[in-house]
Structure formats: structure tokens, C-alpha cells
Amino acid sequence: MLSHTGSENAFSQSDGRLSEPELLRLPLSLGVKVIAAHVATMNDFGDNGSLDRLCKLMKEYPNCYADISSLTQINKHHCALEVLRRPELKDRLLYGSDYPLIAMPGLVSSWHFVMRIGLVRTWRISRIENPWDRDVAFKEAMGFPADCHTRANAVLGIK
């Protein structure tokens, strides 16, 4: 089961209460594999409450995962760094692109993170034309483990 978690600002109307990680407790307790989209990150910097609650679920349920979509957006810099600092997430992260947003240069650009990934890597990533290839390279440069790009196969039982 894939479920949106964290705040949502891409739509003019949304009910943030439905993105609460604690709502995933029932399917998790029933053994359903759950993927929390966007790692329950918040767009308003400083509020890690949803991420904290997701991390608690990760400790309780081995069938709880999260995708890293949206974490290269300009408004998620702090969130990406926080996710990378959380050891309980390391082996539970799955690749997600949040397409078509990754193809919007004003919203997603390695240049927004140049201080994190360095000038040379930033320039190389910015030269990649395919938005998915660029997104993968960008997330790896940020420090997300390379195996998060292939872990979904095992989680979903795909050979």
C-alpha cells in the first residue's frame, strides 16, 4: 500500500489530517507492506512531528517503508538532510520520483543544493537531460544509498 504522508502544498485544497503516519498503524498491524510517500516530511521547515511518528512506526513494524520522492525539491533541503541523519530509515527507503515535479527546474535543481554536493557534481548532474536519470544521480549525490533505487523489487516481491 502506498500512502501520502506529510504535508501537501501542490494542491490548492488538501486535508493534512489524512497524511498522518499514525493512520498507517492499522494496515501495518495487519501485516500489509506500507510505503509512506515523501517520508512524512513537512514543507514548513522545523516541524518533524510526522517524520518522528513515521520513524516510530518503522521501529515497530518491519513492513513499513518510505519513498524519497520530493526530497530534492528546493523547499525540502532541510527535510532531506534530516532523513539522511535517521538510522532507522537507512534500510527502509525506496526510490520515488514525484514526476512530473522532478522535470521542473525552478522546483528541482541540483544548483539549489550546490553547497551540499559540490560544484563539479552539481554541474555534471545539471547536464543530464533525462529527468529520471538526473533525479537518481541527484539523490545519490545527496547521500541517499544506491540500493534504495532497487529495494522496491524485493519489497514488492518482484524478481
Coordinates of all heavy atoms in Angstrom, one line a residue, residues 86-157:
R86 N 18.7 9.9 10.0 CA 17.9 9.0 10.8 C 18.3 7.5 10.4 O 18.0 7.0 9.4 CB 16.4 9.2 10.5 CG 15.9 10.6 10.7 CD 15.4 10.7 12.1 NE 14.8 12.0 12.3 CZ 13.7 12.2 13.0 NH1 13.1 11.2 13.5 NH2 13.2 13.4 13.1
P87 N 19.0 6.9 11.3 CA 19.5 5.5 11.1 C 18.4 4.5 10.9 O 18.5 3.5 10.1 CB 20.4 5.1 12.3 CG 20.0 6.1 13.3 CD 19.5 7.3 12.7
E88 N 17.2 4.7 11.5 CA 16.1 3.8 11.4 C 15.5 3.8 10.0 O 14.8 2.8 9.6 CB 15.0 4.0 12.4 CG 14.4 5.4 12.4 CD 15.1 6.5 13.2 OE1 16.3 6.5 13.2 OE2 14.4 7.3 13.8
L89 N 15.8 4.8 9.2 CA 15.3 4.9 7.8 C 16.2 4.2 6.8 O 15.8 3.9 5.7 CB 15.1 6.3 7.4 CG 14.0 7.1 8.2 CD1 14.0 8.6 7.8 CD2 12.7 6.5 8.1
K90 N 17.5 4.1 7.1 CA 18.5 3.7 6.2 C 18.1 2.5 5.3 O 18.3 2.6 4.0 CB 19.8 3.3 6.9 CG 21.0 3.0 6.0 CD 22.2 2.7 6.8 CE 23.3 2.3 5.9 NZ 23.4 0.9 5.7
D91 N 17.6 1.4 5.8 CA 17.3 0.2 5.0 C 15.8 0.2 4.6 O 15.4 -0.9 4.2 CB 17.7 -1.0 5.8 CG 19.2 -1.1 6.0 OD1 19.9 -0.7 5.1 OD2 19.6 -1.6 7.1
R92 N 15.1 1.2 4.9 CA 13.7 1.2 4.6 C 13.3 2.3 3.5 O 12.1 2.4 3.2 CB 12.9 1.6 5.8 CG 13.1 0.7 7.0 CD 12.5 -0.7 6.8 NE 12.6 -1.4 8.1 CZ 11.7 -1.4 9.1 NH1 10.7 -0.6 8.9 NH2 11.9 -2.0 10.1
L93 N 14.3 2.9 2.9 CA 14.0 3.9 1.9 C 13.9 3.3 0.5 O 14.7 2.5 0.1 CB 15.1 5.0 1.9 CG 15.2 5.8 3.2 CD1 16.3 6.8 3.1 CD2 13.9 6.5 3.5
L94 N 12.9 3.7 -0.3 CA 12.7 3.3 -1.6 C 12.7 4.5 -2.5 O 12.3 5.6 -2.1 CB 11.3 2.6 -1.8 CG 11.0 1.5 -0.8 CD1 9.6 1.0 -1.0 CD2 12.0 0.4 -0.9
Y95 N 13.2 4.3 -3.8 CA 13.2 5.4 -4.7 C 11.8 5.8 -5.1 O 10.9 5.0 -5.3 CB 14.0 5.0 -6.0 CG 13.9 6.1 -7.0 CD1 14.6 7.3 -6.9 CD2 13.1 6.0 -8.1 CE1 14.6 8.3 -7.8 CE2 13.0 7.0 -9.1 CZ 13.7 8.1 -8.9 OH 13.6 9.1 -9.8
G96 N 11.5 7.1 -5.2 CA 10.3 7.7 -5.8 C 10.7 8.9 -6.4 O 11.6 9.7 -6.0
S97 N 10.1 9.3 -7.5 CA 10.5 10.4 -8.3 C 9.6 11.7 -8.1 O 10.1 12.8 -8.2 CB 10.5 10.1 -9.8 OG 9.1 10.0 -10.3
D98 N 8.4 11.5 -7.8 CA 7.4 12.6 -7.7 C 7.3 13.3 -9.1 O 7.1 14.5 -9.2 CB 7.8 13.6 -6.6 CG 6.6 14.3 -6.0 OD1 5.5 13.7 -6.1 OD2 6.7 15.3 -5.4
Y99 N 7.4 12.5 -10.2 CA 7.2 13.1 -11.5 C 5.8 13.6 -11.6 O 4.9 12.9 -11.1 CB 7.5 12.0 -12.5 CG 7.5 12.5 -14.0 CD1 8.6 13.1 -14.5 CD2 6.4 12.4 -14.7 CE1 8.6 13.6 -15.8 CE2 6.3 12.9 -16.0 CZ 7.5 13.5 -16.5 OH 7.5 14.0 -17.8
P100 N 5.6 14.7 -12.3 CA 6.4 15.5 -13.1 C 7.2 16.6 -12.4 O 7.9 17.3 -13.1 CB 5.4 16.1 -14.1 CG 4.2 16.3 -13.3 CD 4.2 15.2 -12.3
L101 N 7.1 16.6 -11.1 CA 7.8 17.7 -10.4 C 9.3 17.7 -10.6 O 10.0 18.8 -10.6 CB 7.5 17.7 -9.0 CG 6.0 17.9 -8.6 CD1 5.7 17.9 -7.2 CD2 5.4 19.1 -9.3
I102 N 9.9 16.5 -10.8 CA 11.4 16.5 -11.0 C 11.8 17.1 -12.3 O 13.0 17.4 -12.5 CB 11.9 15.0 -10.9 CG1 11.3 14.1 -12.0 CG2 11.7 14.4 -9.5 CD1 12.0 12.8 -12.2
A103 N 10.9 17.3 -13.2 CA 11.2 17.9 -14.5 C 11.0 19.4 -14.5 O 11.1 20.1 -15.6 CB 10.4 17.3 -15.6
M104 N 10.7 20.0 -13.3 CA 10.5 21.5 -13.2 C 11.8 22.1 -12.6 O 12.0 22.1 -11.4 CB 9.3 21.7 -12.4 CG 8.0 21.2 -12.9 SD 6.7 21.5 -11.8 CE 5.3 20.8 -12.8
P105 N 12.6 22.7 -13.5 CA 13.9 23.2 -13.0 C 13.8 24.3 -11.9 O 14.7 24.4 -11.1 CB 14.6 23.8 -14.2 CG 13.6 23.6 -15.4 CD 12.4 22.9 -14.9
G106 N 12.8 25.0 -11.8 CA 12.6 26.0 -10.7 C 12.4 25.4 -9.4 O 12.7 25.9 -8.3
L107 N 11.8 24.2 -9.4 CA 11.5 23.5 -8.2 C 12.5 22.4 -7.8 O 12.9 22.3 -6.6 CB 10.1 22.7 -8.4 CG 9.6 22.0 -7.2 CD1 9.3 22.9 -6.0 CD2 8.3 21.3 -7.6
V108 N 13.1 21.7 -8.8 CA 14.1 20.7 -8.5 C 15.3 21.0 -9.4 O 15.2 21.0 -10.6 CB 13.5 19.3 -8.9 CG1 14.6 18.3 -8.7 CG2 12.3 19.0 -8.0
S109 N 16.4 21.3 -8.7 CA 17.6 21.6 -9.4 C 18.8 21.3 -8.5 O 18.8 21.7 -7.3 CB 17.7 23.1 -9.9 OG 19.0 23.4 -10.3
S110 N 19.8 20.6 -9.0 CA 21.0 20.3 -8.2 C 21.7 21.6 -7.7 O 22.3 21.7 -6.7 CB 22.0 19.5 -9.0 OG 22.3 20.0 -10.2
W111 N 21.4 22.7 -8.5 CA 22.0 24.0 -8.1 C 21.5 24.5 -6.8 O 22.2 25.3 -6.1 CB 21.8 25.1 -9.2 CG 22.6 24.7 -10.4 CD1 22.1 24.2 -11.6 CD2 24.0 24.9 -10.6 NE1 23.2 24.0 -12.5 CE2 24.4 24.4 -11.9 CE3 25.0 25.3 -9.8 CZ2 25.6 24.4 -12.4 CZ3 26.3 25.3 -10.3 CH2 26.6 24.8 -11.5
H112 N 20.3 24.1 -6.4 CA 19.8 24.5 -5.1 C 20.5 23.9 -3.9 O 20.5 24.3 -2.8 CB 18.3 24.1 -5.0 CG 17.4 24.8 -6.0 ND1 17.4 26.1 -6.2 CD2 16.4 24.2 -6.8 CE1 16.5 26.4 -7.2 NE2 15.9 25.2 -7.5
F113 N 21.3 22.8 -4.2 CA 22.0 22.0 -3.2 C 23.5 22.0 -3.4 O 24.2 21.1 -3.0 CB 21.4 20.6 -3.2 CG 20.0 20.4 -2.8 CD1 19.0 20.7 -3.7 CD2 19.7 20.1 -1.5 CE1 17.7 20.5 -3.3 CE2 18.4 19.9 -1.1 CZ 17.4 20.2 -2.0
V114 N 24.0 23.0 -4.2 CA 25.4 23.0 -4.6 C 26.3 23.0 -3.3 O 27.4 22.4 -3.4 CB 25.7 24.3 -5.5 CG1 25.5 25.6 -4.7 CG2 27.1 24.1 -6.1
M115 N 25.9 23.6 -2.2 CA 26.8 23.6 -1.0 C 26.8 22.2 -0.4 O 27.8 21.9 0.2 CB 26.2 24.6 0.0 CG 26.3 26.0 -0.5 SD 27.9 26.6 -1.0 CE 28.7 26.7 0.6
R116 N 25.9 21.4 -0.7 CA 25.8 20.0 -0.2 C 26.6 19.0 -1.1 O 27.3 18.2 -0.6 CB 24.4 19.5 0.0 CG 24.2 18.1 0.2 CD 24.3 17.7 1.7 NE 24.1 16.3 1.8 CZ 24.3 15.6 2.9 NH1 24.8 16.3 4.0 NH2 24.1 14.3 3.0
I117 N 26.5 19.2 -2.4 CA 27.0 18.2 -3.3 C 28.2 18.6 -4.0 O 28.9 17.8 -4.7 CB 25.9 17.6 -4.2 CG1 25.4 18.7 -5.1 CG2 24.9 16.9 -3.4 CD1 24.3 18.2 -6.1
G118 N 28.6 19.9 -4.0 CA 29.8 20.4 -4.6 C 29.5 20.9 -6.0 O 28.6 20.5 -6.7
L119 N 30.4 21.8 -6.4 CA 30.2 22.5 -7.7 C 30.4 21.5 -8.9 O 29.5 21.6 -9.8 CB 31.2 23.6 -7.8 CG 31.2 24.5 -9.1 CD1 29.8 25.2 -9.2 CD2 32.3 25.5 -9.1
V120 N 31.4 20.7 -8.9 CA 31.6 19.8 -10.0 C 30.4 18.8 -10.2 O 29.9 18.6 -11.3 CB 32.9 19.1 -9.9 CG1 33.1 18.0 -11.0 CG2 34.1 20.1 -10.0
R121 N 30.0 18.2 -9.1 CA 28.9 17.2 -9.2 C 27.6 17.9 -9.6 O 26.8 17.4 -10.3 CB 28.7 16.5 -7.9 CG 29.8 15.4 -7.6 CD 29.6 14.7 -6.3 NE 28.8 13.5 -6.6 CZ 28.5 12.6 -5.6 NH1 28.8 12.9 -4.4 NH2 27.8 11.5 -5.9
T122 N 27.4 19.1 -9.0 CA 26.2 19.9 -9.4 C 26.2 20.1 -10.9 O 25.1 19.9 -11.5 CB 26.2 21.2 -8.6 OG1 26.2 20.9 -7.2 CG2 25.0 22.0 -9.0
W123 N 27.3 20.6 -11.4 CA 27.3 20.9 -12.9 C 27.1 19.6 -13.7 O 26.3 19.6 -14.6 CB 28.7 21.5 -13.2 CG 28.7 21.9 -14.7 CD1 28.2 23.0 -15.2 CD2 29.3 21.1 -15.7 NE1 28.5 23.0 -16.6 CE2 29.1 21.8 -16.9 CE3 30.0 19.9 -15.8 CZ2 29.6 21.4 -18.1 CZ3 30.4 19.4 -17.0 CH2 30.2 20.2 -18.2
R124 N 27.7 18.5 -13.3 CA 27.5 17.2 -14.0 C 26.1 16.8 -14.0 O 25.5 16.3 -15.0 CB 28.4 16.1 -13.5 CG 29.9 16.3 -13.8 CD 30.7 15.1 -13.3 NE 32.1 15.4 -13.6 CZ 33.1 15.0 -12.9 NH1 32.9 14.3 -11.8 NH2 34.3 15.3 -13.3
I125 N 25.5 16.8 -12.8 CA 24.1 16.4 -12.7 C 23.2 17.3 -13.5 O 22.2 16.9 -14.2 CB 23.6 16.4 -11.2 CG1 24.4 15.3 -10.5 CG2 22.1 16.3 -11.0 CD1 24.3 15.4 -8.9
S126 N 23.4 18.6 -13.5 CA 22.6 19.6 -14.2 C 22.6 19.3 -15.7 O 21.7 19.8 -16.5 CB 23.0 21.0 -13.9 OG 24.2 21.4 -14.5
R127 N 23.7 18.7 -16.2 CA 23.8 18.4 -17.6 C 23.1 17.2 -18.1 O 23.0 16.9 -19.3 CB 25.3 18.3 -18.0 CG 26.2 19.5 -17.5 CD 25.9 20.7 -18.2 NE 26.2 20.6 -19.6 CZ 25.7 21.4 -20.6 NH1 25.0 22.4 -20.2 NH2 26.0 21.2 -21.8
I128 N 22.6 16.4 -17.2 CA 21.9 15.1 -17.5 C 20.5 15.5 -18.1 O 19.7 16.2 -17.4 CB 21.8 14.2 -16.3 CG1 23.1 13.8 -15.8 CG2 20.9 12.9 -16.7 CD1 23.1 13.0 -14.5
E129 N 20.2 15.1 -19.3 CA 18.9 15.5 -19.9 C 17.7 14.8 -19.4 O 16.6 15.3 -19.2 CB 19.0 15.4 -21.4 CG 19.9 16.5 -22.0 CD 19.9 16.5 -23.5 OE1 18.9 16.2 -24.1 OE2 21.0 16.8 -24.1
N130 N 17.8 13.4 -19.3 CA 16.7 12.6 -18.9 C 16.3 13.0 -17.4 O 17.2 12.8 -16.5 CB 17.0 11.2 -19.0 CG 15.9 10.3 -18.6 OD1 15.5 10.2 -17.5 ND2 15.3 9.6 -19.6
P131 N 15.1 13.4 -17.1 CA 14.7 13.8 -15.7 C 14.9 12.7 -14.7 O 15.2 12.9 -13.6 CB 13.3 14.3 -15.8 CG 12.8 13.8 -17.1 CD 14.0 13.5 -18.0
W132 N 14.6 11.4 -15.1 CA 14.7 10.3 -14.1 C 16.2 10.0 -13.8 O 16.6 9.8 -12.7 CB 14.0 9.1 -14.6 CG 12.5 9.2 -14.5 CD1 11.8 9.0 -13.3 CD2 11.6 9.5 -15.5 NE1 10.5 9.2 -13.6 CE2 10.3 9.5 -14.9 CE3 11.7 9.8 -16.8 CZ2 9.1 9.8 -15.6 CZ3 10.5 10.1 -17.5 CH2 9.3 10.1 -16.9
D133 N 17.0 10.0 -14.9 CA 18.5 9.8 -14.7 C 19.1 10.9 -13.8 O 19.9 10.6 -12.9 CB 19.2 9.7 -16.0 CG 18.8 8.5 -16.8 OD1 18.3 7.5 -16.3 OD2 19.1 8.5 -18.1
R134 N 18.6 12.1 -14.1 CA 19.1 13.3 -13.3 C 18.7 13.1 -11.9 O 19.4 13.4 -11.0 CB 18.6 14.6 -14.0 CG 19.1 15.8 -13.3 CD 18.7 17.1 -14.1 NE 17.3 17.2 -14.2 CZ 16.6 17.2 -15.4 NH1 17.3 17.0 -16.5 NH2 15.3 17.3 -15.5
D135 N 17.4 12.7 -11.6 CA 16.9 12.6 -10.3 C 17.7 11.5 -9.5 O 18.0 11.7 -8.3 CB 15.4 12.2 -10.3 CG 14.7 12.3 -9.0 OD1 14.9 13.4 -8.3 OD2 14.1 11.4 -8.6
V136 N 17.9 10.4 -10.1 CA 18.7 9.3 -9.5 C 20.1 9.8 -9.1 O 20.6 9.7 -8.0 CB 18.8 8.1 -10.4 CG1 19.8 7.1 -9.8 CG2 17.4 7.4 -10.4
A137 N 20.8 10.5 -10.1 CA 22.1 11.0 -9.8 C 22.1 12.0 -8.7 O 23.0 12.1 -7.9 CB 22.7 11.6 -11.1
F138 N 21.1 12.9 -8.7 CA 21.0 13.9 -7.7 C 20.8 13.3 -6.4 O 21.5 13.7 -5.4 CB 19.8 14.8 -8.1 CG 19.6 16.1 -7.4 CD1 20.4 16.5 -6.3 CD2 18.5 16.9 -7.7 CE1 20.2 17.7 -5.6 CE2 18.2 18.0 -7.0 CZ 19.1 18.4 -6.0
K139 N 19.9 12.4 -6.2 CA 19.6 11.7 -4.9 C 20.8 11.0 -4.4 O 21.1 11.0 -3.2 CB 18.4 10.9 -5.0 CG 17.1 11.8 -5.0 CD 15.9 11.0 -5.2 CE 14.7 12.0 -5.2 NZ 13.5 11.4 -5.8
E140 N 21.6 10.3 -5.3 CA 22.8 9.6 -4.9 C 23.8 10.7 -4.4 O 24.5 10.4 -3.4 CB 23.3 8.7 -6.0 CG 22.5 7.5 -6.1 CD 23.0 6.5 -7.2 OE1 24.0 6.9 -7.9 OE2 22.4 5.5 -7.4
A141 N 23.9 11.8 -5.1 CA 24.9 12.8 -4.7 C 24.5 13.4 -3.4 O 25.4 13.8 -2.6 CB 24.9 13.9 -5.8
M142 N 23.2 13.5 -3.1 CA 22.8 14.0 -1.8 C 23.2 13.0 -0.6 O 23.2 13.4 0.5 CB 21.3 14.2 -1.8 CG 20.8 15.3 -2.6 SD 21.2 16.9 -1.8 CE 20.2 16.8 -0.3
G143 N 23.4 11.8 -1.0 CA 23.8 10.8 0.1 C 22.8 9.7 0.3 O 23.0 8.8 1.1
F144 N 21.7 9.6 -0.5 CA 20.8 8.5 -0.4 C 21.5 7.3 -0.9 O 22.1 7.3 -2.0 CB 19.5 8.8 -1.1 CG 18.7 9.9 -0.5 CD1 18.7 11.2 -0.9 CD2 17.9 9.5 0.7 CE1 18.0 12.2 -0.2 CE2 17.2 10.5 1.3 CZ 17.2 11.8 0.9
P145 N 21.3 6.1 -0.2 CA 22.0 4.9 -0.6 C 21.6 4.4 -2.0 O 20.4 4.5 -2.3 CB 21.7 3.9 0.4 CG 20.5 4.5 1.1 CD 20.5 5.9 0.9
A146 N 22.5 4.0 -2.8 CA 22.2 3.5 -4.2 C 21.2 2.3 -4.2 O 20.4 2.2 -5.1 CB 23.5 3.1 -4.9
D147 N 21.2 1.5 -3.1 CA 20.3 0.4 -3.1 C 18.8 0.8 -2.9 O 17.9 0.0 -3.1 CB 20.7 -0.7 -2.1 CG 20.7 -0.2 -0.7 OD1 20.6 1.0 -0.4 OD2 20.8 -1.1 0.2
C148 N 18.6 2.0 -2.5 CA 17.2 2.4 -2.4 C 16.5 2.5 -3.7 O 15.3 2.4 -3.8 CB 17.0 3.8 -1.6 SG 17.4 5.2 -2.5
H149 N 17.3 2.6 -4.8 CA 16.7 2.6 -6.1 C 16.3 1.2 -6.6 O 15.5 1.2 -7.6 CB 17.8 3.2 -7.1 CG 18.2 4.6 -6.7 ND1 17.4 5.7 -6.8 CD2 19.4 5.0 -6.3 CE1 18.0 6.7 -6.3 NE2 19.2 6.4 -6.0
T150 N 16.7 0.2 -6.0 CA 16.4 -1.2 -6.4 C 15.6 -2.0 -5.3 O 15.1 -3.0 -5.6 CB 17.6 -2.0 -6.8 OG1 18.5 -2.0 -5.8 CG2 18.2 -1.3 -8.1
R151 N 15.6 -1.4 -4.1 CA 15.0 -2.1 -3.0 C 13.5 -2.4 -3.2 O 13.0 -3.4 -2.7 CB 15.2 -1.3 -1.7 CG 14.7 -2.0 -0.5 CD 15.0 -1.2 0.8 NE 16.5 -1.2 1.0 CZ 17.2 -0.1 1.2 NH1 16.6 1.1 1.3 NH2 18.5 -0.2 1.4
A152 N 12.8 -1.6 -4.0 CA 11.4 -1.8 -4.2 C 11.1 -3.2 -4.8 O 10.0 -3.8 -4.5 CB 10.8 -0.7 -5.1
N153 N 12.0 -3.7 -5.6 CA 11.8 -5.0 -6.2 C 11.6 -6.1 -5.1 O 10.7 -6.9 -5.1 CB 12.9 -5.4 -7.1 CG 12.9 -4.7 -8.4 OD1 12.0 -3.9 -8.7 ND2 13.9 -4.8 -9.2
A154 N 12.5 -6.1 -4.1 CA 12.4 -7.0 -3.0 C 11.1 -6.8 -2.2 O 10.4 -7.7 -1.8 CB 13.6 -7.0 -2.1
V155 N 10.9 -5.5 -1.9 CA 9.7 -5.2 -1.0 C 8.4 -5.6 -1.7 O 7.5 -6.2 -1.0 CB 9.7 -3.7 -0.7 CG1 8.4 -3.3 -0.1 CG2 10.9 -3.3 0.1
L156 N 8.3 -5.4 -3.0 CA 7.1 -5.8 -3.7 C 7.1 -7.2 -4.2 O 6.1 -7.6 -4.9 CB 6.9 -4.8 -4.9 CG 6.8 -3.3 -4.5 CD1 6.7 -2.4 -5.7 CD2 5.5 -3.1 -3.6
G157 N 8.2 -8.0 -4.0 CA 8.2 -9.4 -4.4 C 8.5 -9.5 -5.9 O 8.0 -10.5 -6.5

